[in-house]
Amino acid sequence: MSPPPPGRPSPSGLPPQGLVALDYEIAQEQASSLGRAGRRVAETLAALAAAEGGGGAETNAADRKALLGEAAAAVWSYFVQRETIGLRRHDDAIRTYGIPSAVLARLGAG
């Protein structure tokens, strides 16, 4: 028996084997991409926290603003990655990463 044409399920109701493999590869790439975006969030938030915790003269307002912008961009990218795989609520991610309200305000979510 030959495989069904593209877009039609097989007689057993299961997708053709090639589609299962493709779905698996797509899921792997989505997880990898989300992981990279999450690491970027963690890195930028750590840099922001270090700058704010250090206080002192070495961190001026312009540096803090730049770090805040980088953190907001990383969080926005992470949220977009989450939404593309169907994760619409970000409350758990906000708690997990400890995303400050100043960063969320930059996203319009504060």
Side-chain angles (χ1 to χ4, degrees), residues 1-12 14-19:
M1 175 189 248
S2 64
R8 297 188 63 201
S10 67
S12 68
L14 298 173
Q17 198 63 17
L19 292 180

Side-chain angles (χ1 to χ4, degrees), residues 2-96:
S2 64
R8 297 188 63 201
S10 67
S12 68
L14 298 173
Q17 198 63 17
L19 292 180
V20 172
L22 180 61
D23 287 342
Y24 181 76
E25 290 292 324
I26 290 170
Q28 279 186 314
E29 184 54 37
Q30 287 174 331
S32 179
S33 179
L34 188 61
R36 286 189 303 271
R39 282 189 296 279
R40 180 76 180 132
V41 167
E43 291 167 0
T44 58
L45 291 177
L48 180 62
E52 289 179 343
E58 67 253 6
T59 305
N60 62 28
D63 290 340
R64 183 184 181 281
K65 186 175 180 179
L67 289 170
L68 192 57
E70 288 178 31
V75 169
W76 178 82
S77 179
Y78 179 68
F79 284 177
V80 168
Q81 287 291 325
R82 287 175 50 89
E83 289 177 8
T84 61
I85 61 173
L87 301 172
R88 305 279 187 246
R89 296 189 57 202
H90 305 298
D91 297 341
D92 57 338
I94 292 168
R95 278 190 305 276
T96 299

